[in-house]
Amino acid sequence: MSKIFVDACLGKETPYTPVWMMRQAGRYLPEYMAVRAEAGSFLDLCHDPKKACEVTLQPVDIVGVDAAILFSDILVIPDEMGMDLSFVKGEGPKFSDPLKTQADLDRLIGGQEAASKLTYVYDTIKLIKEQLAEDKALIGFTGAPWTLATYMIEGQGTKTYNICKKMMYSNPELLHNILAKVTEVVKLYMEKQIEAGIDVVQIFDSWAAAIEPSKYDEFSWKYMVEIADYLKSKYPDIPIIMFPKGVPAFIERGLVYGNFDVFGVDWGTPMALAKEKLGDKYVLQGNMEPCRLYSKEATTACVEAIQEIMGGKRHIFNLGHGILPDVPVENAKHFVSECQRVSGKK
Ligand code: CP3
């Protein structure tokens, strides 16, 4: 049976425009909170294939999206490379020993050895594939090397990125060495996700906007393209979605290149600009501002506006970044059903 989401990613005509939401498996769902409480902590949940499978499937059943996204986190990669990850309540992710020197980097596990430690992710994928309806797709994902490196260098989330940017301008060689080592692990990690059964790959470059446009290719995009090239050479039929958040100048100057299928448009980039610059070459995904989900009227207006621009062609509906934890479930359902209404799903 064909999957409408996969067909749409590959640019084939579909009976309606598929829809999913970034961070759709998460805290706005009471059912998620219940399973997380049972698991003990967020990381325990990531490490438990049965429970991770359950929360992956929740938004498909409850909200009616066309694709499930694997429940995990981008930061399990540096965790298994030997950086000690924890989630401090209310403060987000923390690494106790951020990378400062080449010697710190040399101590990390790389390549196949690191990728092989993420067995709980591959086990989760296998379980999901047993249970997911045949017409729905499973999206696997990774963080882009740059976004992962920001946490590995800063030790936590940051508003200024001053530590990694200091490295970018005063010791670019070390930053490139970090990015290259992470890229190697990510290639093998995504290959193993594909072998375990994912249908589509998404690469999240959530902190792309931290890099000035003239440096974006050198410190992030080229590594994402390297990962895409590697996967495409082995698995040409698995669609790849690139999501660099906050790079309108990079798009406008025509600097986007690479062998992938779908470009994820963030909410700060006008869909019409993305269509003009990228729409012939790539399928576009996005891009409703997630905070519109607080209002059904604001949601409907945006869904209609996006449909007007894209015309139901070479498009996947999504938010322009992740759904927030305090969005009413009813409003998330409204978004999905409005996308289906305007694009003609019976
Ligand atoms: O539904 C899905 O999208 C699948 C699961 C998923 C999570 N994280 C679960 C999660 C995915 C795809 C991610 C990716 C992720 N993780 C990104 C890139 C995507 C983006 O939104 O830009 C980033 C930057 C991270 C790192 C991360 N993980 C942070 C900064 C935080 C804390 C901030 C927050 O939102 O609380 C997390 C924790 C996290 N990852 C949660 C979930 C459901 C919340 C944990 C909880 O249950 O308390």
Side-chain angles (χ1 to χ4, degrees), residues 77-96:
I77 302 168
D79 190 32
E80 296 302 349
M81 290 175 76
M83 296 195 71
D84 173 37
L85 174 66
S86 60
F87 281 85
V88 182
K89 221 179 154 63
E91 287 177 50
K94 287 244 178 335
F95 289 112
S96 52

Side-chain angles (χ1 to χ4, degrees), residues 20-27 32-33 36 42 45-46 59 69-75 87 91-93 141 143 147 151 157 204-207 243 245 321-322 325:
W20 69 286
M21 294 181 296
M22 285 186 273
R23 303 298 285 269
Q24 67 189 13
R27 287 163 294 183
Y32 167 82
M33 295 310 285
R36 195 185 75 175
F42 169 67
L45 180 50
C46 291
I69 179 162
L70 165 71
F71 187 84
S72 184
D73 197 84
I74 60 169
L75 298 177
F87 281 85
E91 287 177 50
F141 69 89
T147 287
Y151 290 97
F204 284 92
D205 199 6
S206 304
W207 311 135
F243 177 67
K245 181 173 177 291
H321 199 195

Side-chain angles (χ1 to χ4, degrees), residues 138-308:
L138 176 61
I139 304 166
F141 69 89
T142 176
W146 161 254
T147 287
L148 293 173
T150 64
Y151 290 97
M152 296 166 79
I153 296 164
E154 303 269 345
Q156 57 194 18
T158 165
K159 289 202 167 73
T160 56
Y161 303 87
N162 54 313
I163 308 174
C164 39
K165 288 201 208 178
K166 186 173 176 187
M167 192 184 287
M168 178 181 288
Y169 296 111
S170 55
N171 191 358
E173 193 189 331
L174 176 56
L175 181 52
H176 278 302
N177 290 346
I178 294 171
L179 293 166
K181 189 159 185 170
V182 172
T183 297
E184 276 319 299
V185 177
V186 166
K187 282 181 192 168
L188 301 167
Y189 176 50
M190 294 320 295
E191 180 171 4
K192 287 179 188 294
Q193 286 194 25
I194 292 172
E195 290 291 338
I198 60 162
D199 302 299
V200 175
V201 170
Q202 175 154 323
I203 305 180
F204 284 92
D205 199 6
S206 304
W207 311 135
I211 306 178
E212 62 173 306
S214 68
K215 292 278 184 190
Y216 183 62
D217 184 43
E218 179 187 345
F219 287 101
S220 188
W221 190 254
K222 77 166 190 204
Y223 291 100
M224 293 168 72
V225 170
E226 188 183 325
I227 294 160
D229 276 342
Y230 176 79
L231 297 175
K232 278 290 175 190
S233 72
K234 294 197 147 181
Y235 309 95
D237 300 334
I238 299 285
I240 298 176
I241 306 170
M242 300 284 227
F243 177 67
K245 181 173 177 291
V247 293
F250 191 68
I251 297 169
E252 189 150 29
R253 292 179 198 176
L255 298 175
V256 174
Y257 67 96
N259 186 9
F260 62 93
D261 304 276
V262 182
F263 189 92
V265 184
D266 73 278
W267 60 266
T269 300
M271 205 61 174
L273 171 73
K275 188 184 177 198
E276 180 200 326
K277 296 288 182 183
L278 304 172
D280 293 339
K281 200 163 170 203
Y282 304 110
V283 171
L284 300 181
Q285 173 175 282
N287 76 336
M288 187 174 89
E289 142 73 287
C291 291
R292 281 188 181 253
L293 286 174
Y294 293 120
S295 153
K296 288 189 184 172
E297 293 72 31
T299 293
T300 293
C302 186
V303 167
E304 287 176 348
I306 293 171
Q307 176 68 13
E308 179 81 23

Side-chain angles (χ1 to χ4, degrees), residues 50-78:
K50 215 164 148 253
K51 289 193 171 65
C53 167
E54 188 179 347
V55 296
T56 298
L57 297 173
Q58 284 174 349
V60 179
D61 298 335
I62 299 167
V63 191
V65 285
D66 295 292
I69 179 162
L70 165 71
F71 187 84
S72 184
D73 197 84
I74 60 169
L75 298 177
V76 296
I77 302 168

